[in-house]
Amino acid sequence: MEAGRQRQGRLWSNLKEVCDLLHIPSACTIQSEELLFQHVQFKTGQRIHTIGQPFDTLYIVNSGFLKTVLIDEFGNEQVLSFPMKGDMLGVDGIHSRQYASEAVALSDCDLILLPFKKLTALGRVHLELENMMYGVMSRELVREQAMIGMLGALSAEARVARFLVSLADRFAQMGYSSKLFNLRMTRHEIGSYLGLTLETVSRTLSAFNEIGLITVDQRTIGIKDPDALKTLRRLPPSRSRSKSGAGRKAAAVEAAEPAAPSTGPSVQLMAAV
Amino acid sequence: MEAGRQRQGRLWSNLKEVCDLLHIPSACTIQSEELLFQHVQFKTGQRIHTIGQPFDTLYIVNSGFLKTVLIDEFGNEQVLSFPMKGDMLGVDGIHSRQYASEAVALSDCDLILLPFKKLTALGRVHLELENMMYGVMSRELVREQAMIGMLGALSAEARVARFLVSLADRFAQMGYSSKLFNLRMTRHEIGSYLGLTLETVSRTLSAFNEIGLITVDQRTIGIKDPDALKTLRRLPPSRSRSKSGAGRKAAAVEAAEPAAPSTGPSVQLMAAV
DNA sequence: CGATAGGTTGAATTTTTTCAATTCCAGTGG
DNA sequence: CCACTGGAATTGAAAAAATTCAACCTATCG
């Protein structure tokens, strides 16, 4: 792995390693060993930052799995994301100088610390660093937009299906199997993330299993028909499904029709600058 | 208004005006008249940018109302936000160099153009500009997080209530009345934004009207009981409501209980850097 | 080996959507 | 000026989706 070097008995990474981790194509021309970023380890269950805590550092996930949550007026958690390798944490703290969410390790984690002050100062010298920051923040914004679209428009089944697909994609990106993996989070956390109850999540997974889209065994998920999952809109009524063992190929899944013609992209109006 | 000066027959704003518009507390020490940003006007219905269009400029709303939308595989719109004075548009285009959403004017608008390249170059000279950028992007992220939390956790009624409250707050910020205002969007657009059908939105507004929380007349909304709206969780069953005219004060709205004790903020683990 | 958190499943209930029928209003053309 | 028209909004009733409540598994961890 591109983990980084030891120094003073700790792990450190240079800018290139950080950029690689973030998948930011940086033509990193820098005398790298100068600026190093320290790693920190967190154990399962530990909190990286809490809501309201003074903000001063961003984090990049080098390994491990986390969740970020909002806490409502009753103390209920609302899961916002499941950061993993290559994701950045803490960006929501920049604006108000306080973290707006809470981040918790779902497994043992190795995070890279990016002191924000130092980072912006460096950004003015090293252009790629600055671009990296803007790029990552924008990417995060796009991700959240997609999430809003999903919560606003999709059925429970479609949400769970897309959740599985996106997890599979992330695992593939990280070099793990996208066909067989372990969920690091509970049904409750998945439900919170997807705006559903844990029971609905559980039932939906069982239904997918029944029609052979996936296999489920507790937290172990096998993806059998990724294409069907990607385009799934809703499941046929359960009486049309047989109760026999899984393993057959998905027979009837109502998927997306070919994109409607819609009104064309219409004339673009672009003001000159 | 802090609209800006004429030059070459067009409106332009300086950095201080831009910062003020964004509510970024900038100790703007700059010889302001040097760097000016051009305005552009859009008429109701015009598109500011489309999905996939090459990104090169950000926009700040100086006046008017807009919506940003995602388009799904069927050509259906999913409303993401209703930008208005002081909001920034186009940030989602930075990452992939293409706008990820579409922005449409819901009224005649006046926008300030911020060519992104120019902006980042200036940011390296003028610190407050750079801070402004990070601050605005982070704020947008927080806003979207709140949206996800709302879509994930709240009932239809609570969503509509909070939508009205947040609109009222925005209007107040802009110096308009927060007690009586006009919706610039259709029920359909509100529904899309809140993850509801237009009928549910309409029914909910009617219900709020019936119990005296608001008055509704087409797009004209009067806020009668902002506090009840802010904390509303769900409405009592309709048979417990009388069908008589509005105007009475809200009698029974199930609101939030005092925050649960929850498990305390627990020991904070903070790594040194 | 029990305690316990996590997970599954069923049945009843509630919430929200869907479908359908009107109504309201702004704009248009006779 | 006024009747028409079409998009927007309201309202009702039926249907569907998701939640709630409850019971019951099943791993895991002291």
Side-chain angles (χ1 to χ4, degrees):
Chain A
M1 291 274 104
E2 74 283 10
R5 67 222 33 61
Q6 292 280 138
R7 185 194 269 197
Q8 303 168 2
R10 305 199 59 80
L11 276 175
W12 299 74
S13 285
N14 64 25
L15 186 53
K16 168 141 183 36
E17 289 160 348
V18 167
C19 288
D20 287 351
L21 204 47
L22 291 167
H23 301 108
I24 299 290
S26 80
C28 205
T29 53
I30 308 184
Q31 64 300 359
S32 282
E33 299 313 306
E34 277 317 298
L35 24 109
L36 292 178
F37 298 98
Q38 187 178 356
H39 292 224
V40 206
Q41 282 73 232
F42 291 87
K43 293 221 171 299
T44 306
Q46 282 187 322
R47 207 156 307 180
I48 287 70
H49 57 73
T50 354
I51 298 172
Q53 177 191 331
F55 163 83
D56 57 355
T57 117
L58 296 170
Y59 305 82
I60 296 173
V61 183
N62 184 47
S63 71
F65 298 87
L66 305 93
K67 65 174 177 182
T68 66
V69 301
L70 244 38
I71 314 282
D72 75 9
E73 59 264 349
F74 303 105
N76 300 320
E77 289 192 353
Q78 165 70 43
V79 175
L80 293 174
S81 66
F82 294 114
M84 49 192 89
K85 186 175 178 176
D87 286 326
M88 189 178 273
L89 294 181
V91 180
D92 59 30
I94 295 174
H95 170 245
S96 63
R97 303 290 158 188
Q98 308 201 155
Y99 294 99
S101 64
E102 180 166 314
V104 181
L106 296 179
S107 70
D108 290 2
C109 289
D110 181 61
L111 306 188
I112 302 176
L113 299 179
L114 306 178
F116 185 63
K117 277 258 158 344
K118 193 167 143 191
L119 197 65
T120 52
L122 285 172
R124 284 187 283 279
V125 183
H126 302 293
L127 282 223
E128 48 265 273
L129 228 190
E130 190 189 52
N131 287 334
M132 180 202 84
M133 280 297 293
Y134 287 130
V136 170
M137 289 179 74
S138 174
R139 181 171 70 189
E140 190 56 23
L141 218 65
V142 173
R143 198 196 66 78
E144 290 196 359
Q145 282 183 4
M147 193 68 204
I148 291 174
M150 173 160 152
L151 291 175
L154 297 188
S155 69
E157 285 141 1
R159 289 183 213 179
V160 174
R162 298 213 181 175
F163 172 68
L164 294 176
V165 169
S166 74
L167 269 189
D169 289 349
R170 291 303 304 269
F171 282 118
Q173 253 182 49
M174 294 192 293
Y176 301 145
S177 167
S178 66
K179 297 287 163 220
L180 190 69
F181 51 81
N182 262 81
L183 299 174
R184 299 323 206 284
M185 62 295 280
T186 67
R187 303 288 191 263
H188 181 76
E189 287 163 336
I190 297 173
S192 171
Y193 179 64
L194 297 177
L196 304 170
T197 58
L198 73 269
E199 292 98 328
T200 300
V201 173
S202 178
R203 271 187 253 276
T204 305
L205 291 175
S206 298
F208 288 172
N209 179 60
E210 244 174 64
I211 62 175
L213 295 183
I214 64 174
T215 60
V216 191
D217 176 34
Q218 297 293 119
R219 301 227 179 152
T220 305
I221 300 285
I223 303 287
K224 294 299 165 196
D225 191 342
D227 297 331
L229 286 174
K230 264 190 263 283
T231 57
L232 179 141
R233 293 247 122 194
R234 66 201 327 153
L235 251 21
S238 65
R239 54 187 58 270
S240 74
R241 299 178 231 146
S242 82
K243 189 83 184 193
S244 64
R248 290 160 294 101
K249 194 69 176 185
V253 176
E254 188 165 329
E257 293 160 32
S262 103
T263 72
S266 95
V267 185
Q268 178 54 31
L269 187 154
M270 196 63 219
V273 60
Chain B
M1 289 278 102
E2 74 285 11
R5 67 226 25 64
Q6 292 280 138
R7 184 193 270 198
Q8 301 168 6
R10 305 201 61 89
L11 277 176
W12 299 74
S13 285
N14 64 25
L15 186 54
K16 167 138 184 38
E17 287 160 350
V18 167
C19 288
D20 287 350
L21 205 46
L22 292 166
H23 301 108
I24 299 290
S26 80
C28 207
T29 53
I30 308 185
Q31 64 299 359
S32 281
E33 300 312 307
E34 279 315 299
L35 24 108
L36 291 177
F37 298 98
Q38 188 179 356
H39 292 224
V40 208
Q41 283 72 233
F42 291 87
K43 291 220 172 302
T44 305
Q46 283 188 322
R47 207 156 309 181
I48 286 71
H49 57 72
T50 355
I51 297 172
Q53 177 191 331
F55 163 84
D56 57 355
T57 117
L58 296 171
Y59 305 82
I60 296 172
V61 183
N62 184 47
S63 70
F65 299 86
L66 304 94
K67 64 174 176 181
T68 67
V69 301
L70 244 35
I71 313 283
D72 76 10
E73 59 266 345
F74 303 104
N76 300 320
E77 289 191 352
Q78 164 69 44
V79 175
L80 293 174
S81 66
F82 294 114
M84 51 192 86
K85 185 174 180 178
D87 286 326
M88 188 179 273
L89 295 182
V91 180
D92 59 30
I94 296 174
H95 171 245
S96 63
R97 303 287 158 192
Q98 309 199 156
Y99 294 99
S101 63
E102 180 167 314
V104 181
L106 296 180
S107 71
D108 290 1
C109 289
D110 182 61
L111 306 188
I112 302 176
L113 298 179
L114 307 178
F116 185 63
K117 277 258 162 334
K118 193 167 144 191
L119 198 65
T120 52
L122 285 172
R124 285 187 283 279
V125 184
H126 302 293
L127 283 224
E128 48 264 275
L129 229 191
E130 190 189 51
N131 287 335
M132 180 201 81
M133 280 297 293
Y134 288 130
V136 170
M137 289 179 75
S138 173
R139 179 171 69 188
E140 190 57 24
L141 218 66
V142 173
R143 200 196 64 79
E144 290 196 358
Q145 282 182 3
M147 193 69 204
I148 292 174
M150 171 158 152
L151 290 175
L154 297 188
S155 69
E157 285 143 1
R159 289 183 213 179
V160 174
R162 298 213 181 176
F163 172 68
L164 293 175
V165 170
S166 74
L167 269 189
D169 289 349
R170 292 304 303 269
F171 281 118
Q173 253 182 50
M174 295 192 292
Y176 302 145
S177 167
S178 66
K179 297 288 165 220
L180 189 69
F181 51 81
N182 261 82
L183 299 175
R184 299 324 205 282
M185 61 295 280
T186 67
R187 303 287 192 264
H188 181 77
E189 287 164 337
I190 297 172
S192 171
Y193 179 64
L194 298 177
L196 304 170
T197 59
L198 74 268
E199 291 97 329
T200 300
V201 173
S202 178
R203 269 187 253 276
T204 305
L205 290 175
S206 298
F208 287 173
N209 178 60
E210 241 175 69
I211 62 175
L213 295 184
I214 64 174
T215 59
V216 191
D217 175 35
Q218 297 293 118
R219 302 229 179 148
T220 305
I221 301 284
I223 303 286
K224 295 297 163 196
D225 192 342
D227 296 331
L229 286 174
K230 265 191 263 284
T231 56
L232 179 142
R233 293 247 122 194
R234 69 206 319 158
L235 252 21
S238 64
R239 59 185 57 269
S240 76
R241 298 179 230 145
S242 83
K243 189 84 182 191
S244 65
R248 290 160 295 101
K249 194 69 175 184
V253 176
E254 187 163 331
E257 293 161 32
S262 103
T263 72
S266 95
V267 186
Q268 177 54 31
L269 187 154
M270 195 64 219
V273 59

